[in-house]
Amino acid sequence: MAAEGKKGEPQKQITEKQRYTFIGFDVFPGKPKDLFKSDAEKSKHVEAVKSKREKGDVVRDECKLLEERVSSFDRIVLTVACVIILGTFTIPWFSAYNEIIEEVNDAPISAVVDSTIVEDSTLLAMGDSLNGVTQAMDSTVLASATNDEAPLEEEQNIQNSSGEEVIHGYVAKKKIRRETSSIAGYDVLLSIGSIGGYVFGSGIILAVTGLIFILFLLVCLALPAYTLYGLYGMKGDADKQALALKKVLKFNWIPVILVVVAYILSFIGADYGFDSKTIFTSLGAAYGPGVFMGTLSYGIIVSLGAFILTALKGVEI
Protein backbone atom coordinates (compact mmCIF):
# COMPACT_ATOMS: atom_id res chain seq x y z
CA MET A 1 0.00 0.00 0.00
CA ALA A 2 1.45 3.35 -0.98
CA ALA A 3 0.81 6.77 0.52
CA GLU A 4 0.11 9.79 -1.68
CA GLY A 5 2.69 12.57 -1.40
CA LYS A 6 2.58 16.22 -2.35
CA LYS A 7 2.01 17.25 -5.94
CA GLY A 8 5.06 16.54 -7.98
CA GLU A 9 6.66 14.32 -5.35
CA PRO A 10 6.95 10.53 -5.71
CA GLN A 11 4.76 8.28 -3.54
CA LYS A 12 6.43 6.90 -0.43
CA GLN A 13 6.12 3.29 0.72
CA ILE A 14 4.60 2.67 4.19
CA THR A 15 7.27 1.72 6.67
CA GLU A 16 7.18 -1.49 8.68
CA LYS A 17 6.51 0.46 11.89
CA GLN A 18 3.49 2.15 10.31
CA ARG A 19 2.26 -1.20 9.02
CA TYR A 20 2.29 -2.78 12.48
CA THR A 21 0.47 0.21 13.96
CA PHE A 22 -2.23 0.10 11.28
CA ILE A 23 -2.85 -3.65 11.51
CA GLY A 24 -3.14 -3.51 15.29
CA PHE A 25 -5.64 -0.62 15.27
CA ASP A 26 -3.93 0.67 18.43
CA VAL A 27 -4.68 -2.62 20.19
CA PHE A 28 -1.22 -3.95 19.56
CA PRO A 29 0.70 -0.89 18.36
CA GLY A 30 4.33 -0.99 17.54
CA LYS A 31 6.52 -3.90 16.64
CA PRO A 32 5.55 -7.09 18.52
CA LYS A 33 8.00 -9.07 20.55
CA ASP A 34 9.62 -12.18 19.17
CA LEU A 35 7.46 -15.29 19.54
CA PHE A 36 10.40 -17.42 20.65
CA LYS A 37 12.64 -16.89 23.64
CA SER A 38 15.72 -18.19 21.85
CA ASP A 39 16.93 -19.37 18.46
CA ALA A 40 17.07 -22.93 19.77
CA GLU A 41 13.34 -22.84 20.61
CA LYS A 42 12.58 -21.41 17.17
CA SER A 43 14.62 -24.11 15.43
CA LYS A 44 12.88 -26.83 17.44
CA HIS A 45 9.45 -25.53 16.46
CA VAL A 46 10.42 -25.20 12.78
CA GLU A 47 11.74 -28.75 12.69
CA ALA A 48 8.50 -30.05 14.28
CA VAL A 49 6.43 -28.26 11.62
CA LYS A 50 8.59 -29.63 8.78
CA SER A 51 8.34 -33.16 10.16
CA LYS A 52 4.56 -32.85 10.42
CA ARG A 53 4.25 -31.63 6.82
CA GLU A 54 6.41 -34.44 5.52
CA LYS A 55 3.90 -36.90 7.04
CA GLY A 56 1.06 -35.13 5.23
CA ASP A 57 -0.53 -33.91 8.48
CA VAL A 58 -1.55 -30.29 8.01
CA VAL A 59 -4.11 -30.01 10.83
CA ARG A 60 -3.24 -28.48 14.19
CA ASP A 61 -2.79 -30.80 17.14
CA GLU A 62 -5.58 -29.22 19.19
CA CYS A 63 -8.04 -28.88 16.32
CA LYS A 64 -11.64 -29.70 17.32
CA LEU A 65 -12.08 -31.66 14.13
CA LEU A 66 -9.81 -34.35 15.55
CA GLU A 67 -11.97 -34.94 18.61
CA GLU A 68 -14.35 -37.89 18.78
CA ARG A 69 -17.96 -36.88 18.12
CA VAL A 70 -19.16 -39.66 20.42
CA SER A 71 -16.61 -40.38 23.12
CA SER A 72 -16.33 -43.51 25.22
CA PHE A 73 -17.73 -41.64 28.20
CA ASP A 74 -20.76 -40.58 26.15
CA ARG A 75 -21.39 -44.18 25.17
CA ILE A 76 -21.25 -45.28 28.81
CA VAL A 77 -23.69 -42.55 29.90
CA LEU A 78 -26.15 -43.35 27.11
CA THR A 79 -25.94 -47.07 27.86
CA VAL A 80 -26.65 -46.49 31.55
CA ALA A 81 -29.61 -44.25 30.64
CA CYS A 82 -31.11 -47.00 28.46
CA VAL A 83 -30.69 -49.56 31.23
CA ILE A 84 -32.38 -47.19 33.72
CA ILE A 85 -35.36 -46.73 31.39
CA LEU A 86 -35.82 -50.48 31.11
CA GLY A 87 -35.31 -50.83 34.86
CA THR A 88 -38.20 -48.48 35.63
CA PHE A 89 -40.59 -51.26 34.63
CA THR A 90 -39.86 -52.87 38.01
CA ILE A 91 -40.74 -49.78 40.09
CA PRO A 92 -44.12 -48.02 40.53
CA TRP A 93 -45.39 -45.98 37.60
CA PHE A 94 -48.76 -45.00 39.06
CA SER A 95 -50.05 -44.78 42.63
CA ALA A 96 -53.30 -43.92 44.41
CA TYR A 97 -54.51 -44.05 47.99
CA ASN A 98 -57.56 -44.47 50.15
CA GLU A 99 -58.15 -42.39 53.27
CA ILE A 100 -59.33 -44.53 56.19
CA ILE A 101 -60.90 -42.77 59.18
CA GLU A 102 -60.30 -44.33 62.58
CA GLU A 103 -61.72 -43.25 65.95
CA VAL A 104 -59.27 -43.11 68.83
CA ASN A 105 -59.81 -42.19 72.50
CA ASP A 106 -58.00 -39.09 73.61
CA ALA A 107 -57.02 -38.09 77.15
CA PRO A 108 -59.76 -38.61 79.76
CA ILE A 109 -62.05 -35.76 80.81
CA SER A 110 -63.26 -35.61 84.39
CA ALA A 111 -66.25 -33.82 85.89
CA VAL A 112 -66.93 -33.38 89.61
CA VAL A 113 -70.56 -33.13 90.69
CA ASP A 114 -72.37 -33.34 94.03
CA SER A 115 -74.04 -36.71 94.59
CA THR A 116 -77.31 -35.03 95.57
CA ILE A 117 -77.27 -33.09 92.30
CA VAL A 118 -76.51 -36.20 90.31
CA GLU A 119 -79.65 -37.81 91.65
CA ASP A 120 -81.67 -34.75 90.81
CA SER A 121 -83.11 -34.09 87.38
CA THR A 122 -81.12 -30.85 87.14
CA LEU A 123 -78.03 -32.76 86.01
CA LEU A 124 -78.86 -31.98 82.38
CA ALA A 125 -78.88 -28.25 83.08
CA MET A 126 -75.55 -28.52 84.85
CA GLY A 127 -74.16 -30.32 81.81
CA ASP A 128 -74.90 -27.31 79.64
CA SER A 129 -72.90 -25.07 81.98
CA LEU A 130 -69.71 -27.18 81.80
CA ASN A 131 -68.74 -25.42 78.51
CA GLY A 132 -69.05 -28.49 76.34
CA VAL A 133 -67.18 -30.91 78.60
CA THR A 134 -70.16 -33.11 79.35
CA GLN A 135 -71.42 -32.61 75.78
CA ALA A 136 -68.31 -34.42 74.54
CA MET A 137 -69.10 -37.44 76.70
CA ASP A 138 -71.12 -40.29 75.37
CA SER A 139 -74.82 -40.30 76.22
CA THR A 140 -74.24 -43.42 78.30
CA VAL A 141 -72.28 -41.30 80.79
CA LEU A 142 -75.35 -39.24 81.69
CA ALA A 143 -77.60 -42.28 81.75
CA SER A 144 -75.37 -44.17 84.15
CA ALA A 145 -74.77 -41.08 86.31
CA THR A 146 -78.43 -41.11 87.42
CA ASN A 147 -78.29 -44.77 88.36
CA ASP A 148 -75.94 -45.65 91.23
CA GLU A 149 -76.54 -49.38 90.71
CA ALA A 150 -75.33 -49.53 87.08
CA PRO A 151 -71.67 -48.53 86.77
CA LEU A 152 -70.23 -47.65 83.33
CA GLU A 153 -68.04 -50.07 81.36
CA GLU A 154 -65.87 -47.41 79.74
CA GLU A 155 -66.49 -44.52 82.18
CA GLN A 156 -65.93 -44.82 85.92
CA ASN A 157 -67.78 -42.98 88.75
CA ILE A 158 -65.84 -42.50 91.97
CA GLN A 159 -67.57 -41.32 95.16
CA ASN A 160 -65.15 -39.28 97.28
CA SER A 161 -65.36 -38.56 101.03
CA SER A 162 -67.00 -35.16 100.60
CA GLY A 163 -70.03 -36.61 98.87
CA GLU A 164 -68.97 -35.49 95.43
CA GLU A 165 -68.99 -37.88 92.51
CA VAL A 166 -66.18 -37.78 89.92
CA ILE A 167 -67.27 -38.79 86.43
CA HIS A 168 -64.50 -39.88 84.02
CA GLY A 169 -65.03 -40.00 80.26
CA TYR A 170 -63.04 -40.12 77.01
CA VAL A 171 -63.39 -37.89 73.97
CA ALA A 172 -63.41 -39.82 70.70
CA LYS A 173 -61.31 -38.19 67.94
CA LYS A 174 -60.89 -39.07 64.29
CA LYS A 175 -57.55 -40.23 62.92
CA ILE A 176 -57.03 -40.41 59.17
CA ARG A 177 -54.49 -42.77 57.66
CA ARG A 178 -53.71 -43.51 54.04
CA GLU A 179 -53.41 -46.86 52.36
CA THR A 180 -51.41 -46.42 49.16
CA SER A 181 -51.55 -48.79 46.22
CA SER A 182 -49.07 -48.63 43.35
CA ILE A 183 -48.59 -50.40 40.06
CA ALA A 184 -45.25 -51.08 38.39
CA GLY A 185 -44.55 -50.74 34.69
CA TYR A 186 -44.77 -54.43 33.88
CA ASP A 187 -48.07 -54.62 35.83
CA VAL A 188 -49.48 -51.88 33.61
CA LEU A 189 -49.06 -54.19 30.64
CA LEU A 190 -50.85 -56.99 32.46
CA SER A 191 -53.63 -54.73 33.77
CA ILE A 192 -54.64 -52.93 30.60
CA GLY A 193 -57.76 -55.08 30.34
CA SER A 194 -59.01 -54.35 33.86
CA ILE A 195 -57.87 -50.75 34.31
CA GLY A 196 -58.71 -49.86 30.72
CA GLY A 197 -62.40 -50.44 31.38
CA TYR A 198 -62.42 -47.60 33.91
CA VAL A 199 -60.24 -45.26 31.84
CA PHE A 200 -61.83 -45.71 28.42
CA GLY A 201 -65.35 -45.57 29.89
CA SER A 202 -64.86 -42.11 31.41
CA GLY A 203 -65.01 -39.74 28.48
CA ILE A 204 -62.81 -38.71 25.57
CA ILE A 205 -60.14 -36.92 27.64
CA LEU A 206 -59.37 -39.88 29.86
CA ALA A 207 -59.58 -42.21 26.87
CA VAL A 208 -56.99 -40.17 24.94
CA THR A 209 -54.82 -39.96 28.07
CA GLY A 210 -54.99 -43.73 28.41
CA LEU A 211 -53.90 -44.17 24.80
CA ILE A 212 -51.02 -41.74 25.36
CA PHE A 213 -49.67 -43.74 28.29
CA ILE A 214 -50.04 -47.03 26.41
CA LEU A 215 -47.93 -45.48 23.65
CA PHE A 216 -45.52 -44.17 26.29
CA LEU A 217 -45.17 -47.70 27.66
CA LEU A 218 -44.39 -49.12 24.23
CA VAL A 219 -41.88 -46.36 23.56
CA CYS A 220 -40.12 -47.16 26.84
CA LEU A 221 -39.55 -50.66 25.50
CA ALA A 222 -38.58 -49.75 21.93
CA LEU A 223 -36.43 -46.61 22.27
CA PRO A 224 -33.78 -47.98 24.67
CA ALA A 225 -33.26 -50.97 22.38
CA TYR A 226 -33.08 -48.70 19.32
CA THR A 227 -30.63 -46.37 21.07
CA LEU A 228 -28.36 -49.26 22.02
CA TYR A 229 -28.42 -50.38 18.40
CA GLY A 230 -27.43 -46.88 17.34
CA LEU A 231 -24.53 -46.94 19.80
CA TYR A 232 -23.08 -50.33 18.97
CA GLY A 233 -24.77 -51.64 15.83
CA MET A 234 -24.31 -48.87 13.27
CA LYS A 235 -21.70 -49.47 10.54
CA GLY A 236 -19.42 -47.03 8.76
CA ASP A 237 -16.72 -44.59 9.80
CA ALA A 238 -16.88 -42.47 12.94
CA ASP A 239 -18.67 -39.56 11.26
CA LYS A 240 -21.36 -41.73 9.68
CA GLN A 241 -21.96 -43.54 12.97
CA ALA A 242 -22.23 -40.24 14.83
CA LEU A 243 -24.72 -38.77 12.34
CA ALA A 244 -26.81 -41.94 12.41
CA LEU A 245 -26.80 -41.93 16.22
CA LYS A 246 -27.87 -38.29 16.20
CA LYS A 247 -30.99 -39.22 14.24
CA VAL A 248 -31.73 -42.06 16.64
CA LEU A 249 -31.39 -39.90 19.75
CA LYS A 250 -33.88 -37.36 18.41
CA PHE A 251 -36.66 -39.91 18.90
CA ASN A 252 -36.13 -39.71 22.66
CA TRP A 253 -38.10 -36.46 22.68
CA ILE A 254 -41.26 -38.45 21.82
CA PRO A 255 -42.01 -39.74 25.37
CA VAL A 256 -41.38 -36.27 26.80
CA ILE A 257 -43.86 -34.77 24.34
CA LEU A 258 -46.41 -37.47 25.17
CA VAL A 259 -46.36 -36.72 28.91
CA VAL A 260 -46.58 -32.96 28.28
CA VAL A 261 -49.62 -33.46 26.02
CA ALA A 262 -51.28 -35.67 28.66
CA TYR A 263 -50.65 -33.00 31.29
CA ILE A 264 -52.20 -30.29 29.10
CA LEU A 265 -55.28 -32.47 28.50
CA SER A 266 -55.74 -32.85 32.25
CA PHE A 267 -56.60 -29.15 32.47
CA ILE A 268 -59.67 -29.83 30.35
CA GLY A 269 -60.71 -32.48 32.86
CA ALA A 270 -63.27 -35.24 32.70
CA ASP A 271 -66.00 -36.87 34.76
CA TYR A 272 -65.52 -40.45 35.79
CA GLY A 273 -67.73 -43.18 34.42
CA PHE A 274 -67.55 -44.98 37.75
CA ASP A 275 -67.83 -44.21 41.45
CA SER A 276 -64.27 -43.07 42.18
CA LYS A 277 -64.79 -42.91 45.95
CA THR A 278 -65.41 -46.64 46.13
CA ILE A 279 -62.06 -47.32 44.44
CA PHE A 280 -59.57 -44.62 45.54
CA THR A 281 -60.37 -41.43 47.40
CA SER A 282 -57.30 -39.76 45.89
CA LEU A 283 -59.05 -39.76 42.50
CA GLY A 284 -61.45 -37.12 43.74
CA ALA A 285 -64.84 -36.38 42.25
CA ALA A 286 -63.46 -35.58 38.77
CA TYR A 287 -60.25 -35.92 36.75
CA GLY A 288 -57.96 -32.89 36.64
CA PRO A 289 -54.30 -31.77 36.78
CA GLY A 290 -54.09 -32.46 40.52
CA VAL A 291 -55.18 -36.06 40.01
CA PHE A 292 -52.78 -36.39 37.06
CA MET A 293 -49.74 -35.21 39.05
CA GLY A 294 -50.76 -37.12 42.16
CA THR A 295 -51.18 -40.38 40.27
CA LEU A 296 -47.78 -40.35 38.53
CA SER A 297 -45.12 -42.16 40.51
CA TYR A 298 -41.34 -41.97 40.41
CA GLY A 299 -41.03 -44.70 37.75
CA ILE A 300 -42.32 -42.37 35.04
CA ILE A 301 -40.35 -39.41 36.44
CA VAL A 302 -37.06 -41.34 36.37
CA SER A 303 -37.68 -42.61 32.84
CA LEU A 304 -38.47 -39.06 31.67
CA GLY A 305 -35.16 -37.82 33.10
CA ALA A 306 -33.27 -40.55 31.24
CA PHE A 307 -35.10 -39.74 27.98
CA ILE A 308 -34.24 -36.04 28.29
CA LEU A 309 -30.57 -36.92 28.94
CA THR A 310 -30.31 -39.04 25.80
CA ALA A 311 -32.21 -36.51 23.68
CA LEU A 312 -29.92 -33.66 24.75
CA LYS A 313 -26.89 -35.70 23.76
CA GLY A 314 -28.37 -35.89 20.27
CA VAL A 315 -28.36 -32.08 20.17
CA GLU A 316 -24.64 -32.00 21.07
CA ILE A 317 -23.53 -34.30 18.25
Side-chain angles (χ1 to χ4, degrees):
M1 181 177 179
E4 295 183 0
K6 294 181 180 180
K7 188 175 181 180
E9 295 182 359
Q11 295 180 345
K12 295 182 180 180
Q13 190 75 17
I14 295 176
T15 63
E16 290 295 324
K17 183 177 180 181
Q18 290 175 331
R19 187 187 301 277
Y20 282 124
T21 302
F22 175 76
I23 293 175
F25 293 101
D26 293 330
V27 176
F28 186 60
K31 187 176 181 179
K33 296 180 181 180
D34 197 348
L35 295 176
F36 305 99
K37 296 180 180 179
S38 62
D39 292 338
E41 182 181 356
K42 181 178 180 180
S43 300
K44 182 179 179 180
H45 179 74
V46 171
E47 291 297 330
V49 172
K50 289 180 178 180
S51 176
K52 191 173 181 180
R53 287 186 176 181
E54 289 175 358
K55 296 178 181 178
D57 189 1
V58 295
V59 183
R60 292 182 302 172
D61 294 334
E62 298 180 357
C63 181
K64 297 296 183 181
L65 296 175
L66 300 178
E67 294 182 357
E68 288 184 315
R69 302 184 74 170
V70 183
S71 64
S72 299
F73 179 75
D74 293 333
R75 294 180 183 274
I76 293 174
V77 171
L78 292 174
T79 303
V80 172
C82 293
V83 173
I84 289 175
I85 293 171
L86 294 174
T88 57
F89 278 86
T90 61
I91 60 178
W93 274 28
F94 303 98
S95 63
Y97 62 84
N98 276 318
E99 290 185 347
I100 299 176
I101 301 175
E102 297 178 343
E103 290 189 358
V104 294
N105 291 329
D106 203 358
I109 295 179
S110 302
V112 181
V113 296
D114 190 272
S115 59
T116 59
I117 301 178
V118 171
E119 296 175 354
D120 192 77
S121 60
T122 58
L123 178 60
L124 296 176
M126 183 197 69
D128 295 334
S129 64
L130 290 177
N131 295 326
V133 174
T134 55
Q135 293 179 6
M137 298 180 181
D138 193 84
S139 60
T140 57
V141 177
L142 294 177
S144 62
T146 59
N147 187 0
D148 296 335
E149 297 179 357
L152 296 174
E153 293 180 359
E154 297 183 359
E155 292 79 12
Q156 184 180 6
N157 298 346
I158 302 175
Q159 190 79 21
N160 57 19
S161 58
S162 61
E164 295 176 342
E165 186 174 8
V166 181
I167 302 176
H168 295 280
Y170 293 88
V171 178
K173 290 188 176 180
K174 292 182 179 179
K175 181 181 179 181
I176 301 176
R177 63 182 178 88
R178 290 182 178 180
E179 286 188 354
T180 303
S181 298
S182 58
I183 182 171
Y186 68 90
D187 281 332
V188 176
L189 282 172
L190 302 176
S191 304
I192 290 178
S194 58
I195 299 177
Y198 296 106
V199 175
F200 295 108
S202 300
I204 186 64
I205 298 299
L206 269 176
V208 173
T209 303
L211 290 174
I212 287 175
F213 277 105
I214 291 176
L215 183 59
F216 179 86
L217 187 148
L218 297 177
V219 166
C220 286
L221 289 173
L223 275 183
Y226 190 36
T227 302
L228 291 174
Y229 171 74
L231 282 171
Y232 304 105
M234 295 290 184
K235 297 180 180 180
D237 57 18
D239 285 340
K240 289 183 179 179
Q241 291 180 2
L243 293 175
L245 180 61
K246 182 180 179 69
K247 295 178 181 179
V248 171
L249 296 180
K250 287 181 179 179
F251 290 106
N252 287 274
W253 289 115
I254 293 177
V256 180
I257 295 173
L258 289 175
V259 175
V260 171
V261 171
Y263 179 63
I264 294 174
L265 289 176
S266 68
F267 283 91
I268 301 176
D271 293 327
Y272 298 116
F274 56 92
D275 188 2
S276 59
K277 294 182 180 179
T278 60
I279 301 177
F280 292 109
T281 56
S282 62
L283 297 179
Y287 175 72
V291 176
F292 176 84
M293 296 302 295
T295 305
L296 295 184
S297 191
Y298 50 88
I300 290 182
I301 297 174
V302 171
S303 62
L304 278 179
F307 279 125
I308 292 174
L309 176 64
T310 54
L312 289 177
K313 182 55 191 175
V315 177
E316 295 178 3
I317 298 177

